[in-house]
């Protein structure tokens, strides 16, 4: 009480004197001096914290330097003063709440705090503090500084000696201490209360630290690399696993988003990630059994699991990360997938399920097993649940079907895959009849219903079938040649598509197919181009009827646009297909829509102008029709990831149209056609004014087959150049090896020559010694003879041996 009384008197000043906020803030600022007691500094900081809400400018101008000094000196010593000073600085630098003046003050004080790197380094060191509240307040304040001046804080972070280590250490989930039994339990009720509180605040802290990491790595490849090599990937995946994988909540979503940010546009981190043990974890997060064989059906508990919005979001993040890594050009990217998942899509067998009507998703029935490619096409043509809700045309359903079309486009990127799929549609060898009926071909050539109202499901199915078939024939002369030989069964003999044609009861066998009535038809089967020409002409006639409503007329327009988009890509740079289309009466079909001057329909006349056979209708007319297409909202709104538009798009042309439901959508073009149109827009315009016998400036008179031949020759030249370079490299290596061998032999020859000279010298010395010895021996022999002669003269006896020796010597 005495301490509080003294503090009150010090702050009050002389008795009876009026006290202004500025005077109080000045007194409190003086008590922030290191000369004051720690308790006084703590009380002053708490008082300034309360005043900063109403007197932000006065507290910031007078006490900011003192608060920073307290942060540097006392925050690590006393947890209470550390928490209070961090919260006070947070209020001063906050720019989220308040008016414009308050936000300007927040940026001003942020700039003062970040005048040098000392404060940032102090905050990063406080992340390693053991006190939760100090650590949590530090996270919040760092987030505020990053929000206000991100690049400056990122620069200071890279210079911090312990910032990276402390940030990664905060990613550790402190709840593991409780799970491992390291928390003392004395009172169970108190423990449960503390446990729930700890869990709640741990989740909040995890969310804050993940948000801090996201802010730090934003547009900073250097920080992304530093955190990755410090173990951020492992910490983040540990959080995801502890939160329940894709079934986790917001913390899981934030952690996966952080992983995506660390990897995206950072080739170094992607290469590092591939070398870790984490890629298989990505697949396991999707809850799919990793060791199941590709021909085995997925477990029922996996196929029938429930998906809420959060789970779908988390799974989409995981799939996005896998797609980013697998789709990159780095070597060995397919190692991200388990060994049982590296296979052609057509070899995978799926067993789809569909909900039983009126069971609220609690009962499901099994459909007939089919290949993944067939299921993909069926999904695009009929939608989810085998077309059960294909007539509603809501945006989510159309987005799913458009995504299936995009996946099919990626599957048929290689020309041999396209030809293999088209080969299935051809008649069997030796047969002169029509080819087999498959769902794609049925949806494509089925004639529109002209006797009653259009079926929305059939229109959408045919429209998407034109997208799929255009992916098969685009930019491939061989695929176009195969497509020209396809002769589908006559339309009258095709059974109507049934929604439940692939249905198999859960405990039964597939139903027997209904018998097909045999009809005699003397007319030869028509090709797909002939059928499309007839359907296009029929659609033009039906849309021009006076009794057609605006909504039905819009559906006819959609059907016509689908046919025209397919034909435009099929006939492009393929004279034989153009000739066949003309023989089928296509010229007369296209002239009428180009000449019409309707203000509500600008797309169809423009699409009809892409065919160069119409150049005699007037260059100005054709160019004008094409220009209007580029300005149409339905064309401009299409992007690589945006195909589905809200219904009705471009509604100002038909004001009476209203959506039947809130989420109704529609599709007009796919991105592949939009890109095709934009790429050839000016080429078509130049072709209108060119003479028929003039060579093309873009291709120099070469058709698609010639272009393919040139491309193959270029590939051959490129491969031969690579082979020549390889051989030259081998020759250089052999020459280097020969040079080394010659040098070695030269050294050996020099050594042997030296040894030979030394041997010859020794031999000469030996011969000289032998000559000297012979001379000495001769002298000794002569002397001996003289001695023997003297002995004989003196009358001495000389032995016979000596005499014989002398004789031998004489003989010698």
């Amino acid at each position: 009480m005495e301490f509080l009384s003294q503090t009150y008197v010090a702050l009050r000043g002389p008795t009876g004197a009026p006290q202004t906020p500025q005077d109080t803030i000045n007194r409190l600022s003086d008590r922030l001096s290191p000369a004051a007691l720690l308790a006084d500094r703590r009380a002053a900081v708490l008082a300034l914290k309360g005043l900063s809400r109403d007197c932000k400018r006065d507290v910031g101008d007078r006490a900011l330097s003192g608060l920073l000094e307290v942060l540097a000196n006392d925050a690590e010593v006393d947890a209470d003063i550390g928490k209070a000073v961090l919260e006070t600085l947070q209020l001063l630098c906050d720019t989220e709440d308040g008016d414009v003046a308050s936000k300007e003050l927040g940026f001003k004080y942020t700039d003062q705090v970040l005048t040098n790197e000392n404060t940032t380094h102090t905050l990063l060191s406080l992340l390693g503090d053991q006190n939760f509240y100090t650590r949590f307040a530090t996270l919040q304040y760092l987030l505020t500084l990053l929000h206000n001046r991100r690049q400056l804080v990122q620069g200071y972070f890279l210079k911090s000696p312990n910032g990276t280590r402390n940030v990664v250490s905060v990613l550790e989930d402190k709840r593991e201490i409780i799970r491992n039994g390291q928390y003392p339990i004395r009172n169970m009720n108190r423990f449960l209360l503390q446990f729930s509180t700890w869990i709640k605040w741990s989740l909040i802290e995890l969310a804050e630290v993940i948000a801090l990491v996201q802010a730090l790595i934003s547009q900073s490849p250097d920080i992304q690399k530093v955190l990755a090599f410090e173990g951020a990937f492992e910490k983040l995946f540990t959080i995801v696993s502890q939160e329940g994988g894709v079934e986790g909540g917001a913390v899981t979503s934030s952690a996966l988003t952080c992983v995506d940010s660390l990897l995206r546009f950072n080739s170094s981190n992607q290469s590092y990630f591939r070398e870790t043990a984490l890629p298989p974890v990505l697949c396991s997060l999707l809850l799919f059994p990793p060791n199941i064989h590709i021909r085995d059906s997925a477990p029922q508990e996996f196929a029938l699991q429930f998906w809420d919005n959060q789970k779908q979001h988390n799974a989409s993040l995981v799939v996005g990360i896998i797609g980013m890594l697998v789709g990159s050009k780095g070597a060995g990217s397919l190692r991200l997938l388990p060994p049982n998942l590296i296979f052609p899509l057509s070899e995978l067998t799926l067993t789809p399920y569909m909900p039983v009507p009126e069971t609220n998703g609690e009962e499901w029935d099994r459909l007939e097993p089919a290949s993944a490619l067939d299921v993909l096409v069926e999904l695009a043509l009929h939608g989810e649940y085998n077309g059960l809700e294909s007539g509603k045309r809501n945006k989510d359903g159309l987005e799913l079907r458009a995504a299936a079309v995009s996946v099919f486009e990626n599957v048929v990127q290689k020309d041999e895959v396209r030809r293999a799929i088209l080969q299935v549609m051809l008649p069997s060898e030796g047969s002169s009849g029509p080819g087999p009926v498959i769902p794609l071909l049925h949806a494509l050539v089925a004639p529109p219903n002209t006797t009653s109202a259009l079926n929305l499901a059939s229109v959408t199915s045919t429209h998407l079938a034109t997208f799929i078939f255009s992916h098969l024939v685009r930019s491939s002369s061989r695929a176009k040649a195969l497509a020209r030989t396809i002769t589908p069964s006559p339309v009258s003999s095709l059974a109507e598509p049934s929604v439940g044609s692939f249905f198999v009861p859960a405990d039964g066998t597939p139903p027997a197919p209904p018998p097909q009535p045999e009809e005699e038809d003397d007319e030869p089967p028509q090709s797909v181009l002939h059928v499309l020409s007839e359907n296009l002409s029929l659609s033009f006639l039906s849309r021009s009827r006076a009794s057609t409503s605006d909504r039905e007329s819009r559906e006819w327009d959609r059907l016509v646009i689908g046919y025209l988009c397919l034909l435009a890509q099929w006939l492009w740079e393929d004279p034989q297909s153009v000739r066949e289309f003309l023989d089928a009466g296509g010229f007369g079909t296209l002239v009428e829509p180009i000449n019409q001057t309707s203000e509500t329909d600008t797309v169809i006349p423009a699409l009809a102008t892409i065919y160069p056979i119409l150049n005699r209708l007037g260059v100005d007319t054709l160019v004008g029709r094409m220009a209007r297409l580029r300005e149409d909202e339905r064309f401009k709104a299409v992007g690589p990831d945006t195909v589905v538009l809200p219904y009705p798009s471009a509604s100002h042309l038909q004001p009476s149209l209203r959506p039947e439901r809130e989420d109704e959508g529609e599709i007009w073009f796919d991105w592949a056609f939009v890109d095709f149109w934009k790429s050839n827009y000016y080429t078509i315009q130049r072709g209108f004014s060119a003479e028929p016998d003039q060579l093309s400036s873009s291709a120099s008179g070469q058709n698609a087959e010639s272009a393919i031949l040139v491309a193959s020759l270029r590939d051959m030249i490129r491969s031969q150049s690579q082979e020549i370079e390889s051989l030259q490299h081998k020759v250089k290596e052999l020459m280097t090896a020969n040079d080394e061998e010659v040098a070695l032999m030269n050294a050996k020859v020099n050594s042997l020559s030296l040894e030979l000279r030394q041997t010859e010298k020794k031999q000469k010395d030996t011969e000289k010694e032998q000559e000297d010895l012979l001379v000495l021996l001769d002298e000794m022999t002569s002397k001996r003879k003289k001695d023997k002669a003297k002995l004989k003269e003196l009358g001495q006896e000389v032995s016979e041996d000596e005499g014989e020796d002398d004789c031998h010597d004489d003989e010698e």
Side-chain angles (χ1 to χ4, degrees), residues 154-221:
Q154 288 174 338
Y156 292 157
F157 174 82
L158 290 173
K159 299 177 183 179
S160 175
N162 55 0
T164 305
R165 182 177 63 255
N166 288 343
V167 168
V168 175
S169 66
V170 183
L171 285 172
E172 295 181 0
D173 193 350
K174 304 302 184 298
R175 290 173 293 169
E176 193 66 25
I177 299 175
I178 301 177
R179 294 192 183 101
N180 293 337
Q182 300 178 13
Y183 188 86
I185 301 178
R186 298 182 177 88
N187 185 291
M188 181 57 66
N189 293 331
R190 183 179 179 183
F191 167 74
L192 292 176
L193 179 62
Q194 292 179 348
F195 178 80
S196 60
T197 305
W198 197 348
I199 291 294
K200 180 182 70 175
W201 283 105
S202 296
L203 288 174
I204 296 175
E205 184 185 18
L206 278 177
E208 291 292 328
V209 70
I210 293 174
L212 174 66
V213 173
Q214 288 178 339
L216 278 174
I217 65 178
S218 176
Q219 300 180 4
S220 179

Side-chain angles (χ1 to χ4, degrees), residues 65-78:
S65 60
L67 291 172
L68 295 177
E69 191 173 0
V70 171
L71 176 67
N73 298 330
D74 301 332
E76 294 183 355
V77 178
D78 187 86

Side-chain angles (χ1 to χ4, degrees), residues 456-764:
L456 297 183
S458 299
V459 172
T460 306
S461 178
T462 301
H463 193 192
L464 294 176
T466 61
F467 289 172
I468 295 175
F469 203 82
S470 65
H471 296 323
L472 292 174
V473 299
R474 185 188 304 111
S475 303
S476 175
S477 60
R478 297 181 180 179
K480 293 176 181 179
L482 279 176
R484 287 195 303 270
T485 60
I486 297 176
T487 55
S489 299
V491 176
S492 58
S493 66
L494 290 176
E496 290 294 329
S498 175
V499 169
S501 59
F502 291 95
F503 173 73
V504 179
D507 299 323
T509 58
Q516 297 289 340
E518 296 183 0
E519 297 182 4
E520 296 182 359
D521 192 357
D522 297 334
E523 297 183 1
Q526 293 180 324
S527 67
V528 175
L529 267 178
H530 281 76
V531 175
L532 291 178
S533 177
E534 292 180 359
N535 291 349
L536 178 61
S537 177
L538 191 61
S539 300
F540 275 131
L541 292 175
S542 299
R543 68 186 288 270
S544 61
R545 290 182 303 186
S547 60
T548 305
S549 63
D550 288 346
R551 191 177 186 91
E552 187 175 359
S553 176
R554 192 177 182 87
E555 298 306 318
W556 282 113
D557 290 346
R558 195 187 323 278
L559 198 59
V560 169
I561 286 174
Y563 290 138
L564 289 176
C565 290
L566 170 59
L567 291 172
Q569 298 171 85
W570 189 345
L571 304 184
W572 183 256
E573 293 185 342
D574 190 10
Q576 296 181 8
S577 297
V578 172
R579 187 179 300 109
E580 183 175 343
F581 180 73
L582 292 177
D583 294 339
F587 183 81
T589 304
L590 298 177
V591 171
E592 180 62 27
I594 293 180
N595 289 328
Q596 66 180 345
T597 58
S598 173
E599 292 296 330
T600 61
D601 185 11
T602 61
V603 176
I604 292 178
L607 289 175
T609 61
I610 198 171
Y611 307 98
I613 58 179
L614 305 176
N615 54 6
R616 59 176 172 172
L617 296 178
V619 175
D620 295 337
T621 302
L622 300 178
V623 172
R625 296 290 187 266
M626 292 184 64
R628 296 187 67 180
L629 174 61
R630 297 192 64 175
E631 301 301 325
D632 193 277
E633 294 295 332
R634 292 168 289 183
F635 185 85
K636 291 165 58 178
V638 176
D641 300 323
T642 307
V643 177
V644 181
L645 307 178
Y647 185 93
S649 55
S651 59
H652 63 280
L653 300 177
Q654 294 173 307
S656 61
L657 289 178
R658 293 290 184 272
E660 294 182 349
R661 57 186 58 84
E662 184 178 356
D663 60 342
E664 186 175 2
E666 61 180 354
I667 298 177
W668 290 96
F669 304 97
D670 63 344
W671 173 248
F673 175 78
V674 172
D675 183 61
F676 165 79
W677 178 274
K678 292 180 178 179
S679 300
N680 300 290
Y681 178 77
Y682 293 105
T683 303
I684 298 170
Q685 288 190 355
R686 288 194 299 268
F688 290 151
S689 57
E691 296 296 330
D693 57 350
Q694 182 179 347
L695 293 178
S696 172
S697 60
S698 60
S700 301
Q702 297 176 350
N703 54 17
E705 295 180 357
S706 300
I708 292 177
L709 179 60
V710 171
S712 63
L713 291 176
R714 287 177 179 173
D715 292 338
M716 185 182 301
I717 293 173
R718 188 181 300 109
S719 62
Q720 290 178 352
S721 299
Q722 294 176 354
E723 186 177 357
I724 290 173
E725 291 179 0
S726 176
L727 292 175
Q728 289 177 347
H729 182 67
K730 290 182 179 179
V731 169
K732 188 179 295 184
E733 290 179 350
L734 292 174
M735 291 178 64
T736 304
N738 290 336
D739 292 342
E740 293 177 355
E741 186 176 357
V742 169
L744 182 62
M745 296 300 296
N746 288 334
K748 190 172 182 180
V749 169
N750 294 334
S751 175
L752 292 175
S753 300
L754 179 62
E755 186 177 353
L756 178 60
R757 288 195 296 269
Q758 292 176 352
T759 304
E760 290 177 350
K761 184 178 179 181
K762 291 180 179 179
Q763 185 177 1
K764 289 180 180 180

Side-chain angles (χ1 to χ4, degrees), residues 15 31 86 117 131 271 302 335 355 376 427 585 638 721 786 801:
T15 305
R31 289 184 175 271
L86 287 168
E117 60 189 18
N131 185 272
S271 301
F302 171 80
R335 287 184 299 168
L376 186 68
V638 176
S721 299
K786 292 177 180 180
D801 292 337

Side-chain angles (χ1 to χ4, degrees), residues 7 11 19 37 66 94 97 202 210 229 248 256 268 290 294 299 397 399 414 443 533 578 624 644 651 674 676 691 785:
T7 304
L11 295 177
Q19 189 82 5
L37 297 175
D94 184 29
D97 301 327
S202 296
I210 293 174
F229 284 98
L256 291 173
S268 175
I294 62 174
E399 290 281 3
K414 295 183 178 180
S533 177
V578 172
V644 181
S651 59
V674 172
F676 165 79
E691 296 296 330
K785 289 179 179 180

Side-chain angles (χ1 to χ4, degrees), residues 184-397:
I185 301 178
R186 298 182 177 88
N187 185 291
M188 181 57 66
N189 293 331
R190 183 179 179 183
F191 167 74
L192 292 176
L193 179 62
Q194 292 179 348
F195 178 80
S196 60
T197 305
W198 197 348
I199 291 294
K200 180 182 70 175
W201 283 105
S202 296
L203 288 174
I204 296 175
E205 184 185 18
L206 278 177
E208 291 292 328
V209 70
I210 293 174
L212 174 66
V213 173
Q214 288 178 339
L216 278 174
I217 65 178
S218 176
Q219 300 180 4
S220 179
D222 294 333
I223 297 181
Q224 294 171 6
K225 295 176 185 178
V226 170
L227 290 177
F229 284 98
E230 194 68 28
F233 285 129
E234 289 78 2
K235 303 294 184 184
L236 290 170
F237 275 101
T238 300
I239 293 174
V240 172
S241 300
Q242 292 176 348
E243 292 298 319
V246 293
E247 296 182 342
V251 174
T252 297
S253 176
S254 301
L256 291 173
T257 303
C258 195
V259 172
D260 183 272
S261 301
L262 285 170
L263 291 172
R264 197 167 297 277
F265 309 121
N266 195 317
S267 58
S268 175
N269 280 5
Q270 292 179 13
S271 301
Y272 170 76
F273 186 84
R274 292 190 187 96
E275 300 301 326
T276 64
L278 295 175
V281 178
L282 284 171
C283 297
S284 64
L285 288 176
L286 297 176
L287 307 179
F288 187 80
N291 298 323
I292 190 172
H293 194 269
I294 62 174
R295 299 191 182 277
D296 296 336
S297 300
Q300 192 172 23
E301 57 271 14
F302 171 80
L304 300 181
Q305 59 182 313
F306 290 96
W307 293 79
D308 55 16
N309 293 333
Q310 183 65 55
K311 185 176 180 179
Q312 291 178 4
H313 179 65
N314 294 341
S316 66
L317 288 172
V318 175
V319 173
I321 295 172
I322 295 176
M324 172 182 58
L325 294 171
V326 175
S328 62
K329 297 181 180 180
S333 58
L334 286 178
R335 287 184 299 168
L336 291 170
L337 301 178
N340 62 323
L341 290 183
I342 303 176
F343 53 86
L345 190 64
S346 58
E347 295 183 8
L348 175 63
T349 300
L350 299 180
T351 305
Y353 290 82
M354 66 174 295
V356 177
E358 300 180 359
T359 61
N360 198 22
E362 296 181 358
E363 297 182 14
W364 294 69
D365 279 322
R366 177 174 57 87
L367 303 184
E368 181 182 1
S371 71
L373 192 59
D374 293 336
V375 173
L376 186 68
V377 174
E378 287 286 345
L379 176 62
L381 295 179
H382 304 299
E384 281 189 295
Y385 310 134
N386 204 29
L388 188 64
E389 299 180 353
S390 59
K392 295 183 179 179
R393 239 169 30 188
N394 58 332
K395 288 190 65 175
D396 291 339

